[in-house]
Amino acid sequence: MSPTGTPLFEPVTIGDLTLKNRIVMAPLTRSRSSDAGIPPEFAAEYYAQRATAGLIISEATNISAQARGYALTPGIWTAEQVEAWQHVTRAVHANGGIMFLQLWHTGRISHPDLHDGALPVAPSAIAPKGQAFTNSGLKDHVTPRALETDEIPAIVADYAHAAQCAKDAGFDGVEIHSANNYLLDQFIRDSTNKRTDRYGGSLENRLRFPLEVVAAVTKVWGGGHRVGLRLSPGTTMPGETPLDSNPMATYGAYVAELAKSNLLYIHDIEGITQLSRAPDGIDYMAFRKAFTGAYIANNNYTRELAESTIAEGKADLISFGRPFIANPDLVDRLRTGAPLADAPKPYWYGGNANGYSNWPGMNGPIALKS
């Protein structure tokens, strides 16, 4: 038992992985990659500094050129990208860490500037609110192009290819990004999916594409024991509400199907990222009880809330996002009750190593093994 009286800081086994603690570094988009989707050399140091987390989940990583929705985000579909990620995974492993890569397709949350003038793709031609981050700044989202039925298997194949590339890059597993109104979530929700083919209409049809992706990715990894999935039943991103007419029924059915896939975990955003926790009408514990694998809880957790959540059996692991930006030694700070540094928002996205891999620990620079 940990000094705080909870197992938060003690080792835990999920699937065939033994994690050094129950603290997860959540995916954090930082926009430091090249236009070719290649993460910078200093990304290896950034992730290795945070290897004291029980599990690191990479920033969201595009599965293909079509998947891009933000400038300067990394990819995992070319040999050059794989080679760059190999430097990251080697550094994390040298420092005792375990790291998964998050597989991402943004769908309609994109802009033609990121696709040589072509429209972003989506289940239906419905424009999202908000703006896209392009190389020339923020631009209003546009009405996307609805995917043709015969285009969808190629995207499933892109997920499988990216999953294999992640394996080749040395990751310990992958997380499928099925949250925050990106492509998979767009197919699931009845406000963004107005299709009349086998991928739209009924709930069974709306779940078909995401479940085909899960099947393809788990096949690459030899089963679901190294595959997780992130979901966000309560989100209103990108600023629309409601995104689904019956989220409990929709996501209850989704989680029940995911349980059959023997996934390692589901990673649940409980509420709306950066805004609120657990909005009315969403019973997150129902999803936890329905799923057979591990449950990672996320969104505005403090140490105290994390400890009580673990102690009460409401989650197996807790993921922290923004606190990891300015606190590479977040696990030790949480364990000892040390104060947390706060990263100003201008450091969150874009730039170089400054405000990224040069944050000190509470006792000075983080010493890394090479």
Side-chain angles (χ1 to χ4, degrees), residues 188 203 206-207 211 231-233 244 246-260 266 268 281-291:
I188 293 169
L203 178 53
R206 286 184 279 123
L207 293 178
L211 293 174
L231 69 165
S232 57
D244 190 82
N246 192 340
M248 283 305 302
T250 296
Y251 285 90
Y254 191 29
V255 170
E257 290 298 319
L258 294 174
K260 299 175 186 177
I266 55 172
D268 205 348
I282 307 292
D283 181 0
Y284 292 96
M285 288 305 95
F287 303 139
R288 171 169 176 48
K289 293 174 183 176
F291 187 67

Side-chain angles (χ1 to χ4, degrees), residues 67-91:
R68 296 178 71 225
Y70 301 82
L72 308 179
T73 50
I76 190 66
W77 75 90
T78 71
E80 293 77 14
Q81 293 162 354
V82 169
E83 182 180 4
W85 279 119
Q86 285 172 342
H87 295 292
V88 174
T89 58
R90 282 197 292 265

Side-chain angles (χ1 to χ4, degrees), residues 224-305:
H225 65 289
R226 291 298 180 94
V227 179
L229 182 140
R230 199 175 205 206
L231 69 165
S232 57
T235 191
T236 57
M237 293 179 67
E240 302 160 26
T241 183
L243 280 174
D244 190 82
S245 62
N246 192 340
M248 283 305 302
T250 296
Y251 285 90
Y254 191 29
V255 170
E257 290 298 319
L258 294 174
K260 299 175 186 177
S261 300
N262 295 314
L263 294 181
L264 179 65
Y265 65 78
I266 55 172
H267 184 183
D268 205 348
I269 301 171
E270 298 174 343
I272 306 169
T273 301
Q274 299 184 28
L275 295 179
S276 65
R277 281 187 47 76
D280 291 341
I282 307 292
D283 181 0
Y284 292 96
M285 288 305 95
F287 303 139
R288 171 169 176 48
K289 293 174 183 176
F291 187 67
T292 51
Y295 181 90
I296 304 177
N298 169 262
N299 199 19
N300 290 321
Y301 271 84
T302 62
R303 187 192 74 176
E304 292 73 21
L305 181 58

Side-chain angles (χ1 to χ4, degrees), residues 186-219:
Q186 291 161 26
F187 269 84
I188 293 169
R189 295 177 182 268
D190 56 14
S191 70
T192 48
N193 184 343
K194 302 297 184 181
R195 303 178 71 89
T196 57
D197 63 359
R198 63 195 301 266
Y199 292 103
S202 69
L203 178 53
E204 179 183 8
N205 283 355
R206 286 184 279 123
L207 293 178
R208 189 184 307 279
F209 171 52
L211 293 174
E212 287 178 351
V213 168
V214 170
V217 171
T218 55
K219 183 178 180 180

Side-chain angles (χ1 to χ4, degrees), residues 85-102:
W85 279 119
Q86 285 172 342
H87 295 292
V88 174
T89 58
R90 282 197 292 265
V92 169
H93 292 155
N95 288 275
I98 295 174
M99 187 172 184
F100 278 32
L101 179 130
Q102 190 185 65

Side-chain angles (χ1 to χ4, degrees), residues 4 17 42 56 64 83 91 94 130 137 156 165 178 201 219 231 241 270 281 301 309 314 318 328 330:
T4 58
L17 289 173
F42 48 82
I56 294 173
S64 65
E83 182 180 4
V156 175
C165 287
S178 184
K219 183 178 180 180
L231 69 165
T241 183
E270 298 174 343
Y301 271 84
T309 298
K314 294 180 178 179
I318 307 293
L330 178 66

